[in-house]
Amino acid sequence: MPSKPPPAFSDLLAGCTRSAVHLEMRDSYAVDYETGPFAEWRAGHRLDPDDRSSWWRPWLSLVEDTTARGVVIRRARIVSEPVSEYTRFLHSFTFTNVAAGEDVRWLPRRQASTIALPGNDFWLFDDHTVYWNHFTGDGASAGGEVSNDPTAAKLCSEAFETVWARATTHDQYTIH
């Protein structure tokens, strides 16, 4: 019997009542060097802090709606230093995530060596539902997977909290 596809991410976030945490551990994700936001950034385009309508929608609207319901959203990024060009790109617009209500921190990979980390990026909703993000070798999405396994949720929670405690807030993190 084939496994059913995971619920839509927006549905998982909509069902969240207390917290949603996200751990990112890759130095690049599905980079399109020819078109799109990364290519535009490479050509010199930067988001205007005063033009909220030009920011990454519908994601930021979903964050604003979720945090307005009282859900705390935290994102931690483990990054190699010196950082990749893609990480520079991410850092350049993370102010939009923060403005929408996410709390974001950065941890240099060398400071994560003693942390037991899951093998994949993940979201953890209300400390019990894990949404694994699977990627191909070149960073393209290979789909998601949902788990309600308490052992997986505990691993993700402990890993995230340890990363969070060691990481630097977005406004204090300097790109190296």
Side-chain angles (χ1 to χ4, degrees):
M1 176 189 218
S3 63
K4 66 179 187 173
F9 180 83
S10 58
D11 291 340
L12 290 168
L13 200 52
C16 193
T17 60
R18 294 182 325 277
S19 67
V21 301
H22 184 38
L23 183 60
E24 298 176 346
M25 300 180 282
R26 297 180 57 91
D27 288 320
S28 69
Y29 295 87
V31 176
D32 182 346
Y33 290 92
E34 304 301 321
T35 63
F38 184 69
E40 293 166 5
W41 176 84
R42 290 180 90 206
H45 174 73
R46 299 298 182 264
L47 293 177
D48 179 351
D50 296 324
D51 184 12
R52 291 178 77 104
S53 66
S54 70
W55 298 355
W56 186 23
R57 304 292 175 175
W59 171 250
L60 296 174
S61 298
L62 182 60
V63 169
E64 290 167 340
D65 293 346
T66 302
T67 57
R69 292 188 292 109
V71 175
V72 175
I73 300 177
R74 296 182 294 158
R75 178 187 305 258
R77 293 179 170 137
I78 297 174
V79 296
S80 299
E81 291 183 330
V83 299
S84 68
E85 184 179 28
Y86 186 83
T87 297
R88 288 181 183 283
F89 163 67
L90 283 179
H91 190 271
S92 77
F93 69 81
T94 297
F95 74 88
T96 65
N97 298 73
V98 174
E102 283 188 54
D103 196 355
V104 180
R105 293 188 183 184
W106 303 80
L107 182 67
R109 192 170 308 282
R110 71 179 177 277
Q111 294 177 23
S113 297
T114 60
I115 301 172
L117 297 167
N120 295 290
D121 289 11
F122 65 86
W123 280 88
L124 179 62
F125 301 100
D126 292 333
D127 296 315
H128 61 77
T129 301
V130 180
Y131 182 88
W132 300 109
N133 292 324
H134 298 296
F135 296 96
T136 64
D138 63 1
S141 176
E145 176 185 1
V146 173
S147 172
N148 290 306
D149 175 19
T151 303
K154 183 177 187 238
L155 170 66
C156 291
S157 178
E158 290 174 353
F160 184 87
E161 294 304 331
T162 303
V163 168
W164 192 256
R166 293 182 189 183
T168 303
T169 61
H170 174 70
D171 63 333
Q172 294 295 312
Y173 182 70
T174 303
I175 290 289
H176 291 92

